[in-house]
Amino acid sequence: MIIALSGGIGGAKLALGLSHVLPPEELLIIANTGDDFEHYGLTICPDIDTLTYTLAGLDNPHLGWGRADESWAFMQTLAALGGPEWFRLGDRDLALHVLRSHRLHAGETLSVITDDVRKRFGIGLRILPMSDDPVRTQINTDKGWLDFQDWFVRQRAEPLAQAVRFAGVEQARPQPALLDALRAKPRGIVICPSNPFISIEPILAVPGLREAIKASGAPVVAVSPIIAGQAVKGPTARMFEALGVTPSAAAVAARYGDLLHGFVMEHGDDAAGIAPRVFYATTLMRDLADKINLARQVVAAVDAL
Amino acid sequence: MIIALSGGIGGAKLALGLSHVLPPEELLIIANTGDDFEHYGLTICPDIDTLTYTLAGLDNPHLGWGRADESWAFMQTLAALGGPEWFRLGDRDLALHVLRSHRLHAGETLSVITDDVRKRFGIGLRILPMSDDPVRTQINTDKGWLDFQDWFVRQRAEPLAQAVRFAGVEQARPQPALLDALRAKPRGIVICPSNPFISIEPILAVPGLREAIKASGAPVVAVSPIIAGQAVKGPTARMFEALGVTPSAAAVAARYGDLLHGFVMEHGDDAAGIAPRVFYATTLMRDLADKINLARQVVAAVDAL
């Protein structure tokens, strides 16, 4: 079993690649839920949904969120009625939010609902939230602490992120199936090329998870989301800069510290000072072939350790 | 001021007619909320919505519910995810349900939300729920007590209705703006051609409302929803039959008892035994001209009393 820790779009791309090189029963995707939020009565789980839509082949690669075959009648009407417009909910996407919100309210766990949904979408492999307990990432800015989606979507990640916290994480219990998988001598653990601060660290902050990863004895391999000092997408580079750290693959590796045994980074980037074993690869994933190719190299790195 | 008590489609037709013959500030529509229900996390108010869509010119006359310019992407996706299909929610219609549910949950009253929505839809006259407190009609059948929409929509009103009750009505407070209007010497009170059992009697069952109507001193005129022994739409006729009463205009008038001063019924129907003053009219409303014509005759009946 390979366990992949993932945020949204970058992680989902690698997860899709991994799903093409591993049988579904040998791959477990763990999704960040720190950017989940309650919006207008609905519980929305952006990273779970991006993973689900991507693995189902329903994702919208142009937007980077939501579904490709989407319509906007709901959103237009909601706006006409004075409802909020800053978080856009497509008609089809909305069905998932309404279904999940209702089932959560009825007492089902997020993991049971997520697993049911991925099966309904024909996805063979498991996608599980890092925890069934709510964890909510918040960003400290010169406007004070902002809820993650307020900062990320409504304010376009523009207010400088001075600090990040994960509200509720102290009370969050790790996903039991993840602990089981970690105890069952996994082949390896992959940290997808997601934003360390807001996609991976919420997962690692769930009490006991970092320790369980270490105790598994499995090789841990991260893939750099920084290529030539730039983030492929999103605020990763700016978040390093706000900490006074020059964005680089090495800065990502340093962020994960002694958790890593291996680090996959772009050909030509500077590996100076990176402690884990470095594997060079083409990490920019433009098409499915890129995703599969990177997945193969990541699995090879896991197996080399 | 004319105050019109209304259920869904039949009442909404007359309300539309009345809106063409009275200035908006001289007409107040009171909507039945007994068929409101909680569905998959959403609070749905079918009669308020039928009135709102009809008065906004957005109604779907073919379906008799929902909007004319509707799409079904949400519903198709919800069904694919295993969600319930028996109550159909269009993409545009859904925006109203999500908005209302969220605002109710945030502590706003149904009347404030309803008033805001009708303004957003460009409706000049007020539509108010009979009460801001939840009242839920239930139907006793050979399957036991069923929630109204379960009986009406899911089971197509097929189980014979042996009795009707309005759960919560004892605790429901009448709409304050309605009590104000009743105290302000209204020109008349119109009972729309709606189903007495499930559209009008829930309104009259709100504690104090029947008394306030009587105390207003205004003429009360009902319009028969039964024409030649048949209901124009819905289960009205069958509900009379289940009580052992032959469906007729006279049976409707008898149902309202001494509340009525006038009764508007179809030309040629039998007025024998009807206690209030009878006004014959063309009560079948096929087009806007029919609605306006009937509204004129109803207002004339009010003024004649």
Side-chain angles (χ1 to χ4, degrees):
Chain A
M1 171 83 76
I2 284 185
I3 301 166
L5 313 185
S6 178
I9 183 160
K13 285 180 180 179
L14 181 57
L16 181 62
L18 288 166
S19 76
H20 282 263
V21 303
L22 294 166
E25 65 278 10
E26 293 182 19
L27 180 58
L28 172 63
I29 310 292
I30 299 299
N32 168 45
T33 59
D35 54 5
D36 294 5
F37 74 126
E38 282 66 44
H39 178 62
Y40 226 61
L42 301 169
T43 298
I44 296 177
C45 304
D47 286 355
I48 290 176
D49 293 352
T50 294
L51 282 161
T52 302
Y53 292 148
T54 300
L55 290 166
L58 298 171
D59 57 306
N60 187 325
H62 303 292
L63 286 177
W65 52 269
R67 295 179 57 149
D69 58 334
E70 195 53 282
S71 57
W72 304 95
F74 168 83
M75 204 70 218
Q76 288 161 1
T77 311
L78 188 69
L81 289 173
E85 294 181 73
W86 64 271
F87 197 91
R88 294 184 59 72
L89 297 165
D91 299 329
R92 292 179 196 279
D93 187 33
L94 187 63
L96 175 48
H97 306 312
V98 168
L99 177 117
R100 176 169 45 218
S101 303
H102 173 71
R103 291 178 59 174
L104 283 172
H105 194 75
E108 290 189 79
T109 63
L110 184 58
S111 54
V112 163
I113 301 165
T114 303
D115 200 54
D116 189 30
V117 166
R118 65 95 184 163
K119 286 177 190 163
R120 292 271 181 183
F121 278 129
I123 299 170
L125 60 95
R126 280 186 300 167
I127 305 164
L128 288 175
M130 66 197 200
S131 174
D132 283 329
D133 302 312
V135 176
R136 298 293 179 262
T137 297
Q138 297 172 324
I139 308 288
N140 201 12
T141 70
D142 56 8
K143 300 178 175 184
W145 284 100
L146 300 177
D147 289 339
F148 179 74
Q149 298 294 345
D150 182 6
W151 174 73
F152 187 64
V153 177
R154 189 189 275 177
Q155 312 210 30
R156 297 163 196 211
E158 280 164 9
L160 202 63
Q162 297 159 356
V164 179
R165 69 183 180 196
F166 311 119
V169 78
E170 294 83 1
Q171 289 76 44
R173 294 156 294 179
Q175 189 57 248
L178 170 57
L179 294 181
D180 290 346
L182 287 169
R183 281 189 213 103
K185 298 195 183 303
R187 181 174 172 187
I189 294 153
V190 172
I191 297 178
C192 288
S194 297
N195 184 312
F197 307 101
I198 53 180
S199 296
I200 302 300
E201 289 178 13
I203 304 176
L204 299 175
V206 175
L209 257 191
R210 188 183 278 265
E211 296 72 18
I213 289 169
K214 288 194 172 186
S216 74
V220 180
V221 173
V223 181
S224 178
I226 298 278
I227 299 177
Q230 304 275 324
V232 176
K233 195 166 170 67
T236 313
R238 284 190 70 228
M239 293 181 82
F240 273 111
E241 285 162 0
L243 296 172
V245 176
T246 303
S248 67
V252 173
R255 190 86 202 166
Y256 293 130
D258 66 358
L259 194 67
L260 299 187
H261 305 98
F263 190 68
V264 177
M265 54 186 282
E266 188 67 28
H267 296 292
D269 271 1
D270 185 2
I274 296 182
R277 182 167 161 193
V278 165
F279 300 83
Y280 284 105
T282 298
T283 59
L284 188 64
M285 294 173 279
R286 287 198 189 86
D287 57 21
L288 182 60
D290 288 343
K291 297 177 182 81
I292 293 172
N293 188 48
L294 179 58
R296 285 214 178 92
Q297 296 192 261
V298 168
V299 172
V302 163
D303 290 343
L305 289 161
Chain B
M1 172 83 77
I2 283 186
I3 302 167
L5 313 185
S6 178
I9 183 162
K13 285 180 179 178
L14 181 58
L16 181 62
L18 288 166
S19 77
H20 281 263
V21 302
L22 294 167
E25 65 278 10
E26 293 183 20
L27 180 59
L28 172 62
I29 310 292
I30 300 298
N32 168 44
T33 60
D35 54 3
D36 294 6
F37 73 127
E38 282 66 44
H39 179 62
Y40 226 61
L42 301 169
T43 298
I44 297 177
C45 305
D47 286 355
I48 290 175
D49 293 353
T50 294
L51 282 161
T52 302
Y53 292 148
T54 300
L55 289 166
L58 298 171
D59 58 307
N60 187 325
H62 303 293
L63 286 178
W65 53 268
R67 295 178 57 147
D69 59 333
E70 194 53 283
S71 58
W72 303 97
F74 168 83
M75 203 69 219
Q76 288 161 1
T77 312
L78 188 69
L81 289 173
E85 294 182 73
W86 65 270
F87 198 91
R88 293 183 61 71
L89 297 165
D91 299 330
R92 292 180 196 279
D93 187 34
L94 187 63
L96 176 47
H97 305 314
V98 168
L99 176 117
R100 177 169 43 218
S101 302
H102 173 71
R103 291 178 61 175
L104 283 173
H105 195 73
E108 290 190 79
T109 62
L110 184 57
S111 54
V112 163
I113 302 163
T114 303
D115 200 54
D116 189 30
V117 166
R118 66 96 185 164
K119 286 178 191 162
R120 293 271 180 184
F121 278 128
I123 299 170
L125 61 97
R126 283 186 299 167
I127 305 163
L128 288 175
M130 65 197 201
S131 174
D132 282 331
D133 302 311
V135 176
R136 297 294 180 260
T137 297
Q138 298 172 324
I139 308 288
N140 201 12
T141 70
D142 56 8
K143 300 178 174 183
W145 285 98
L146 299 177
D147 289 340
F148 179 75
Q149 298 293 344
D150 183 4
W151 174 74
F152 187 65
V153 177
R154 187 190 272 176
Q155 312 210 29
R156 298 164 197 209
E158 281 164 8
L160 201 63
Q162 297 160 354
V164 179
R165 69 183 180 196
F166 312 120
V169 79
E170 294 82 3
Q171 290 77 45
R173 292 157 295 180
Q175 188 57 247
L178 170 57
L179 293 181
D180 291 346
L182 287 170
R183 279 189 215 105
K185 298 196 184 302
R187 181 173 171 188
I189 295 155
V190 172
I191 297 179
C192 288
S194 297
N195 183 313
F197 306 102
I198 54 180
S199 295
I200 302 301
E201 289 178 13
I203 303 176
L204 298 176
V206 175
L209 258 191
R210 187 183 278 266
E211 295 72 18
I213 289 170
K214 287 194 173 188
S216 74
V220 180
V221 173
V223 181
S224 178
I226 298 277
I227 299 175
Q230 305 273 324
V232 176
K233 197 169 169 66
T236 313
R238 284 189 71 228
M239 293 181 82
F240 273 110
E241 285 161 0
L243 296 173
V245 176
T246 303
S248 67
V252 174
R255 191 85 201 165
Y256 292 130
D258 66 356
L259 195 67
L260 299 187
H261 304 98
F263 190 69
V264 178
M265 54 187 282
E266 188 66 29
H267 296 291
D269 271 2
D270 186 2
I274 297 182
R277 182 167 160 193
V278 166
F279 300 83
Y280 283 105
T282 297
T283 58
L284 187 65
M285 294 173 279
R286 288 198 187 85
D287 56 23
L288 182 60
D290 289 342
K291 297 178 182 81
I292 293 172
N293 188 48
L294 179 58
R296 285 215 178 92
Q297 295 193 259
V298 168
V299 172
V302 162
D303 290 343
L305 288 161

